[in-house]
Amino acid sequence: MVVLHHLNTFTISMEFFSHFPWSFTPTPPSRFNIFHPRFLFLQKVNKSQHLCHCSSVSPSSQQLQEQVADGGGTGHFGNLVQGYGWKVRKMVEEDHEMRSVANIQAESFYEPVILFNDVFFQFFQAEVLAGLLYRLKNSPPDRYACLVAETMTREIEDRQKLVGVVDVTVFRDESVLGYLSGADEYLYVSGIAVLPDFRRKKVASILLKACEMLANVWGYKYLVLRAYEDDWGARKLYTNAGYRMVSGDPLWTSSWIGRRRRVLLIKQCNTT
């Protein structure tokens, strides 16, 4: 019998797979081997892209729009925000960085099992990667973005280390739009995750600030996210970032065994 254990971690967002269509079931890449210590993902996506870094600590919307335009069809741009020793930019669509993103989210959302834990983790990590590839392939560059936080200091081999990640997607759920005055779409924040060694070091805060900057660039008035009702750490983080709770899951939906009640939080962006 396999027994599930909850992670004793600060999980900020639980709506990780919420933006998958109902008909989509993520599957491991065709070259993934669950019995190999590392899954093989060899496809190169836009390998020739280079980072465009912005020297401004708090770039204006006009500067960011120019950076987006410079990225052409790739939808790539430089730093959205930086602070507390971290900076946030859009993920580069190349295999090494996408595997890093999948690993960060997998470490945050995976629940370990007693038997064959390493195998199941690799399988879960492959599904996270497959979901990322699906969103990149099926979303216009101005309707989905994966943002990554990295250190502002150089690491081994002159590389910068990714420490956190967040997904931002344009949504138009009618049940949510009822709380958003004058909006027909909004940015949904999900999959926010931080490596264990870097939690409680303002990484999540800078990721949320980057989401707000991206909303200004794309011209959206509202940011929306969900959290567990009993996750007081996450809710405090969101409240400090300017989010307010507007509703919760119906009580009957949270009466199922193992299902925790979620709350809906929104933030109106400053578009001035």
Side-chain angles (χ1 to χ4, degrees):
M1 177 180 179
V2 178
V3 181
L4 294 179
H5 294 271
H6 293 289
L7 283 173
N8 183 22
T9 61
F10 180 39
T11 302
I12 299 172
S13 173
M14 31 59 65
E15 287 296 291
F16 181 60
F17 291 109
S18 64
H19 39 241
F20 291 164
W22 292 108
S23 60
F24 173 63
T25 302
T27 56
S30 58
R31 302 192 66 173
F32 170 72
N33 180 355
I34 64 174
F35 297 106
H36 193 279
R38 297 176 63 190
F39 66 84
L40 303 178
F41 178 68
L42 303 179
Q43 180 183 8
K44 309 297 181 182
V45 184
N46 294 335
K47 185 68 175 180
S48 61
Q49 288 186 18
H50 298 281
L51 297 184
C52 173
H53 292 287
C54 177
S55 60
S56 173
V57 173
S58 180
S60 67
S61 296
Q62 181 178 356
Q63 288 175 315
L64 290 172
Q65 288 169 350
E66 292 172 354
Q67 291 172 16
V68 172
D70 290 341
T74 65
H76 186 274
F77 47 89
N79 294 333
L80 281 163
V81 292
Q82 59 185 37
Y84 310 112
W86 320 113
K87 55 186 176 182
V88 181
R89 58 172 170 79
K90 191 173 182 181
M91 181 194 73
V92 178
E93 294 179 27
E94 59 95 19
D95 61 315
H96 174 80
E97 183 140 310
M98 288 190 288
R99 285 201 304 268
S100 296
V101 166
N103 179 68
I104 293 172
Q105 290 183 320
E107 283 196 29
S108 293
F109 299 108
Y110 176 71
E111 294 186 349
V113 297
I114 290 180
L115 300 177
F116 307 109
N117 185 62
D118 290 342
V119 171
F120 281 108
F121 175 78
Q122 291 181 55
F123 202 57
F124 180 73
Q125 188 179 44
E127 292 214 340
V128 173
L129 179 59
L132 174 62
L133 292 172
Y134 178 89
R135 295 191 295 278
L136 291 171
K137 180 180 178 181
N138 292 278
S139 303
D142 60 347
R143 296 186 69 83
Y144 167 74
C146 179
L147 306 180
V148 295
E150 61 186 357
T151 61
M152 294 176 63
T153 58
R154 294 292 179 178
E155 300 290 329
I156 299 175
E157 297 180 352
D158 201 35
R159 286 191 136 171
Q160 293 160 311
K161 180 180 179 64
L162 300 188
V163 297
V165 59
V166 64
D167 290 314
V168 187
T169 312
V170 178
F171 268 20
R172 57 175 66 180
D173 186 341
E174 293 296 333
S175 64
V176 175
L177 289 174
Y179 299 101
L180 312 179
S181 175
D184 54 6
E185 289 183 325
Y186 56 89
L187 286 191
Y188 188 72
V189 179
S190 62
I192 184 168
V194 178
L195 284 175
D197 290 343
F198 297 92
R199 290 169 186 164
R200 296 180 174 86
K201 295 182 179 180
K202 300 293 186 178
V203 178
S205 297
I206 203 73
L207 284 168
L208 290 174
K209 182 62 178 177
C211 293
E212 185 175 356
M213 292 296 294
L214 184 59
N216 289 331
V217 172
W218 284 354
Y220 290 97
K221 186 178 179 180
Y222 292 98
L223 288 164
V224 176
L225 55 80
R226 287 186 172 88
Y228 286 124
E229 185 179 39
D230 58 357
D231 191 343
W232 298 107
R235 291 181 60 180
K236 181 179 179 181
L237 169 72
Y238 298 140
T239 299
N240 291 341
Y243 288 80
R244 62 183 180 88
M245 189 183 74
V246 295
S247 69
D249 286 344
L251 292 176
W252 66 268
T253 63
S254 57
S255 63
W256 302 347
I257 297 177
R259 181 178 175 87
R260 297 160 66 189
R261 190 166 184 254
R262 306 169 305 168
V263 292
L264 180 72
L265 301 100
I266 66 172
K267 178 177 183 177
Q268 183 172 342
C269 300
N270 182 7
T271 56
T272 60

